Amino acid sequence: MNENIIKRHVVGVDVSTDLTTYAIVDMQGGILAKETFATSDYLNVNEYVSVLCEKIIALVEQHVGYESIRSVGVSVPSGNFITGSMENASNMPWKGHVPLAAMLRDRLGLSVALGNDAHVTAVAERAFGAAHGLSNFIVVTISHGGLGSCIFLDGHPHLGAEGFAGEFGHICIYEDGRQCSCGHRGCLEEYASARGLVRTVREIVEEGRDSSLKDKGELTPQLIAIACEQGDEVAIEAFKRTGRILGGALATYASLVDPEAIILTGDMTAYSKWMMSDLKETFESNIFQNLKGKVNITISPLNNGERDVLGASALAWYVKEYSLFK
Ligand SMILES: [Zn+2]
């Protein structure tokens, strides 16, 4: 039988700090089976990879059979597509350079592609989401974890010489600004992310404004959005400031790249109605004049719980087919 006809499925794996999600996906982005387990249970990466491979093989054998799997795509924090390694992921238990793609390939006998969250998210948008049919676009992920981005130029992801292009979260927007987890000060991520929004609420309260959020313990974007619904002016102002800061930074980004669209993704976009008008207004007033009104800023239509695993599966099609047991 023709191998190309048989191998019509891929496996997508999304590795995040707390959960690992793995799924069998068909060529149209249909998820045939999906499972999760706790990443944080495995402090030893060899043990983690062994368990992940056992689980993948069990799922594959149960649903479609090993011989129908073409390749595997993996999304990991600080993943480098060029080297196939996870490199110095600050929020993961495994330190240094971890050659995750090679480790999985050796155990599964299949080719493995690996990318970071932002790269994988952009691949998902192009294959199944808001960037379908576009060649030049930027995907920006705004989430509890921070702020990342990926640039597609002429239909290809621009990864950069070292594989780290698009580190939008760590551009400096205020000299001597807020302390960032990367060690620098004034990074955009400390303003335009879930953490940044919470810091902005605290800052406005410190300016002497009264708010229902003042005496709340741990704040989340969800709690702040609920306060917005109830008319809390500090909560509303915090989202507006976030929108203006992000809009200004995106105008700079778009002036450099000249994209057809900017797609916003990540869990923070659930509350985008509180910041979008300020974001777009600041964006349009700061972008290079010849690009005014030309860049479509839109929210991803993909489901937050499925985007990463779908993107990982789409990434799997980028590597050449290879099977140890063919
Ligand atoms: Zn930083």
Side-chain angles (χ1 to χ4, degrees), residues 170 180 182 187:
H170 298 284
C180 180
C182 76
C187 291

Side-chain angles (χ1 to χ4, degrees), residues 25-31 128 306 310 313:
V25 185
D26 66 20
M27 290 169 117
Q28 288 77 38
I31 296 178
F128 312 115
E306 291 182 346
L310 269 182
S313 78

Side-chain angles (χ1 to χ4, degrees), residues 178-198:
R178 295 174 184 172
Q179 180 66 49
C180 180
S181 57
C182 76
H184 294 169
R185 298 188 80 94
C187 291
L188 179 61
E189 179 170 291
E190 293 304 319
Y191 298 83
S193 65
R195 189 170 66 248
L197 177 73
V198 169

